[in-house]
């Protein structure tokens, strides 16, 4: 499984690591965490407070076909994925041309500043790209019962994990609950991917 993300301020970075922890719960599953390139000039990114010291390596579009499942993470930009992720996906035309991702598992998680800032539209609009690739979309099922919690302000949708970052004096990193939903999603994706891969192997 590849967890591929873009993160400006570290929220999606933390969630990506939690997704990877979830994947690792499935026996035999191997997980790699990578990120897409930054498009903002370094001086502007630094002045804006971007986290420029993230440890996961930069991915190349061609390597996506090497994985059985892909979990994508992006912050929200006006209800859609960030331009950095969009740019990366727009460079995968060669994979699309040869149907390299058909039948692979795809899943998405995201973050927004506000409770109603586009978490669902970001994930479902991302799904459109995955469908064009011919991927099998997996979300975050209600077997993660805290999707329905009322005990705290939290992200979380059946389409995929999410977090609410707040802004200004209310800015926060993902909560323990939001990270738990990421781990659950990662485990769920890995289990389904494992079952699919095992089924293909048994059929020869």
């Amino acid at each position: 499984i590849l967890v591929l993300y873009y993160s400006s301020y570290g929220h999606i970075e933390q969630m990506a690591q939690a997704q990877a922890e979830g994947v690792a719960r499935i026996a035999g599953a191997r997980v790699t965490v990578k990120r897409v390139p930054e498009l903002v000039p370094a001086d502007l990114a630094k002045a804006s407070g971007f986290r420029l010291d993230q440890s996961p390596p930069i991915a190349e579009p061609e390597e996506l076909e090497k994985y059985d499942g892909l979990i994508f993470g992006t912050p929200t930009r006006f209800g859609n994925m960030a331009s950095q992720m969009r740019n990366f996906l727009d460079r995968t035309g060669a994979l699309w041309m040869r149907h390299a991702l058909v039948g692979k598992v795809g899943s998405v998680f995201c973050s927004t500043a506000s409770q109603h800032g586009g978490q669902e539209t970001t994930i479902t609009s991302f799904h459109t790209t995955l469908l064009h690739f011919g991927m099998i979309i997996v979300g975050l099922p209600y077997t993660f019962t805290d999707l329905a919690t009322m005990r705290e302000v939290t992200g979380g949708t059946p389409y995929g994990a999410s977090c609410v970052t707040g802004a200004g004096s209310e800015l926060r990193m993902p909560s323990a609950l939001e990270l738990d939903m990421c781990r659950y999603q990662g485990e769920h994706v890995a289990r389904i991917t494992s079952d699919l891969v095992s089924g293909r192997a048994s059929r020869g």
Side-chain angles (χ1 to χ4, degrees), residues 81-153:
M81 71 179 78
S83 60
Q84 290 84 349
M85 181 62 74
R86 181 72 263 165
N87 176 266
F88 183 91
L89 294 173
D90 284 346
R91 295 163 54 208
T92 58
L95 298 178
W96 177 81
M97 286 289 291
R98 62 175 184 273
H99 313 298
L101 303 185
V102 171
K104 295 182 183 292
V105 172
S107 195
V108 184
F109 62 99
C110 76
S111 66
T112 61
S114 62
Q115 294 179 59
H116 310 291
Q119 295 188 356
E120 294 183 350
T121 59
T122 297
I123 295 176
T124 56
S125 61
F126 203 126
H127 287 167
T128 302
T129 297
L130 305 189
L131 288 168
H132 277 261
F133 281 133
M135 300 182 75
I136 300 166
I137 294 172
V138 174
L140 176 64
Y142 280 100
T143 46
F144 183 79
T145 56
D146 276 334
L147 277 182
T149 187
M150 292 294 288
R151 69 180 182 272
E152 66 175 71
V153 174

Side-chain angles (χ1 to χ4, degrees), residues 55-85:
S55 58
I58 301 294
E60 293 294 334
E62 295 76 18
E63 70 183 276
L64 298 189
E65 66 179 312
K66 297 190 297 186
Y67 299 91
D68 299 308
L70 302 163
I71 304 175
F72 299 92
T74 178
T76 295
R77 299 291 187 263
F78 304 109
N80 288 281
M81 71 179 78
S83 60
Q84 290 84 349
M85 181 62 74

Side-chain angles (χ1 to χ4, degrees), residues 1 3 15-27 29 31 71 105 107 138-141 143-144 161 179-195:
I1 305 288
V3 180
M15 296 173 77
Q17 295 298 336
Q19 292 274 353
E21 291 168 10
V23 172
R25 292 174 176 172
I26 299 301
V31 61
I71 304 175
V105 172
S107 195
V138 174
L140 176 64
T143 46
F144 183 79
L179 294 175
D180 279 346
M181 71 177 65
C182 288
R183 295 184 187 97
Y184 193 99
Q185 182 176 349
E187 181 178 2
H188 183 60
V189 169
R191 182 179 293 108
I192 290 173
T193 304
S194 178
D195 289 347

Side-chain angles (χ1 to χ4, degrees), residues 38 94 99 196:
E38 181 59 78
H99 313 298
L196 287 170

